[in-house]
Structures are given as C-alpha cells and as structure tokens.
Amino acid sequence: GQNIDQPTEMTATEGAIVQINCTYQTSGFNGLFWYQQHAGEAPTFLSYNVLDGLEEKGRFSSFLSRSKGYSYLLLKELQMKDSASYLCAVRDRRGGNKLTFGTGTQLKVEL
Amino acid sequence: NAGVTQTPKFRVLKTGQSMTLLCAQDMNHEYMYWYRQDPGMGLRLIHYSVGEGTTAKGEVPDGYNVSRLKKQNFLLGLESAAPSQTSVYFCASSYSWDRVDQETQYFGPGTRLLVL
C-alpha cells in the first residue's frame, strides 16, 4: 500500500508565502499531483511532478524529490481566496496508475 | 462544456433503502472514478472504469456496485444503504493513464448522502 502524510492544518498571513509539505512511501512511484479543494466544492487540479525539481505555475510552485519521497507546494503572495484544503496525491504504476490521496492540509489565510 | 456533472446533489436515505448516483461527463474521457470523502480520511476510491463496459474495484468497494454502459456515464449504486455510507461522493474522469499529463482528473460537484 501507500502512506501519504501531510500536515492537517496551517495558518498564514495574506501576502506571505506558505509551504505545504507532503511525504510518501511507495515503490512504484509514477507522479505526484496537487489539488485544491474549497469548502463544499470539488477538488481542482493545481500541478503535477514526475521528475525531481521545481514546477512553477504563477503564484503556485510544486517541488519533488523522489529519493526522499518528498514534495511541497509553495504558495506566494497569499490571498484570502487561497484558504482551502490542499490535497497531495501519488500515482503508483503498481496500482494501475491510480491516484491515492492524502488527507489534505487545511490552509487558513488571515489578514 | 459542462465538464463532470452529478445527480442528485443531496439525498437522505433510511437504512436499507437503495439508490443510484449518476455521473456524466462530456469531455470524451475514457477513465471514470467514484470516490467518497469523509472527515480525516481524505478521498478514497470506491470503483473505477477504464472504458465503456468495464469496471474495477478500488480501495473501498464493499456495499457499492457500478455500471458503465455508456462512455459518458458512470453509475454508482447502493443496494442497501447503511449509516456508514453517509459521506460526500465525488465522481471524476480523466483522459487516459498513458501519460501523466493526461492523467489529470476532473471532479464533479459532489453528492452529499445522509443515511439515517
């Protein structure tokens, strides 16, 4: 099976930078995805990493280290609308490339 | 395009009742999924389909059945609802599993189910 760990909750200030970490354990790693989910809404895709390094998409960046089983999502210039749950999901080729989701990190952005 | 739609949005059932949740997508995606989301548990895969006429079990399939008679529709059935099935159910679809960039899953708005 897979083990995906994320912090349960984080709080940050509007305009600041926040880093949400995700660690995983799987022998068939084939990609890591980040989704954003606002309360009462569906998850929406943010980014994915297959190779080591940083992927930048506007205010959001995602980093991957396969050797360490570690990823983070970096949110810059935080806005109130960034208050949401951020889900880390791992793709495992042994499981037919299905996604396994972490429990999510609830981010609260304060003034 | 409507993307992924789900019906109903909310339902209350009594223990032992049955119901079917309908998911429809208009993106011509091959792959479709049913998840449940519970507090502290994250999204868990119930069943999935890799194409019309095919279905497979996910992580938590017990108590549920599915059918994919048409490419655009994926139905989730509860034959005899139990309080443990109170949850938020999300349907999702993706283009394929051939490449990571095609794996992006698009989610429907969810169905909130309460079983009394």
Side-chain angles (χ1 to χ4, degrees):
Chain A
Q2 298 184 32
N3 192 18
I4 301 172
D5 290 315
Q6 306 179 235
T8 303
E9 296 179 338
M10 298 183 71
T11 302
T13 304
E14 189 179 34
I17 299 173
V18 69
Q19 178 175 312
I20 302 174
N21 296 326
C22 172
T23 59
Y24 63 88
Q25 293 177 326
T26 180
S27 58
F29 179 82
N30 198 23
L32 187 143
F33 290 72
W34 284 96
Y35 283 80
Q36 180 191 58
Q37 185 177 25
H38 286 100
E41 297 183 7
T44 55
F45 169 76
L46 285 178
S47 69
Y48 72 82
N49 296 72
V50 180
L51 303 176
D52 292 350
L54 189 68
E55 294 284 341
E56 298 189 73
K57 294 179 71 174
R59 293 189 301 114
F60 291 22
S61 303
S62 58
F63 172 84
L64 175 67
S65 169
R66 289 171 295 171
S67 63
K68 296 182 179 179
Y70 167 69
S71 174
Y72 67 72
L73 181 68
L74 194 70
L75 290 73
K76 304 175 185 176
E77 302 171 10
L78 279 173
Q79 302 175 9
M80 298 299 289
K81 68 177 182 179
D82 296 329
S83 292
S85 183
Y86 291 85
L87 312 178
C88 171
V90 174
R91 188 167 178 255
D92 188 336
R93 65 171 61 87
R94 294 174 311 145
N97 281 329
K98 297 189 296 297
L99 289 183
T100 298
F101 285 83
T103 54
T105 297
Q106 186 65 47
L107 174 66
K108 182 178 180 182
V109 180
E110 299 179 328
L111 292 172
Chain B
N1 286 349
V4 181
T5 58
Q6 293 182 232
T7 53
K9 288 183 170 52
F10 179 70
R11 184 76 182 269
V12 179
L13 287 179
K14 295 181 179 179
T15 297
Q17 287 184 319
S18 63
M19 77 164 295
T20 300
L21 284 69
L22 173 63
C23 175
Q25 53 94 4
D26 62 2
M27 296 175 282
N28 200 34
H29 284 171
E30 288 292 335
Y31 295 74
M32 298 187 74
Y33 318 81
W34 275 108
Y35 293 91
R36 60 177 290 173
Q37 188 174 40
D38 304 290
M41 300 292 289
L43 282 162
R44 291 183 293 169
L45 184 64
I46 304 171
H47 286 280
Y48 64 99
S49 168
V50 300
E52 181 179 319
T54 72
T55 63
K57 295 179 179 179
E59 181 185 356
V60 288
D62 294 342
Y64 306 94
N65 57 75
V66 288
S67 64
R68 182 101 180 267
L69 298 179
K70 293 183 178 181
K71 185 177 183 178
Q72 62 269 34
N73 296 337
F74 196 28
L75 279 64
L76 178 71
L78 286 74
E79 291 186 349
S80 179
S84 60
Q85 294 178 305
T86 293
S87 187
V88 179
Y89 292 85
F90 286 102
C91 175
S93 70
S94 65
Y95 183 69
S96 79
W97 284 347
D98 294 337
R99 300 200 317 257
V100 166
D101 61 336
Q102 296 176 338
E103 161 65 27
T104 299
Q105 294 187 19
Y106 296 85
F107 286 80
T111 295
R112 284 151 184 78
L113 176 64
L114 174 63
V115 182
L116 301 175

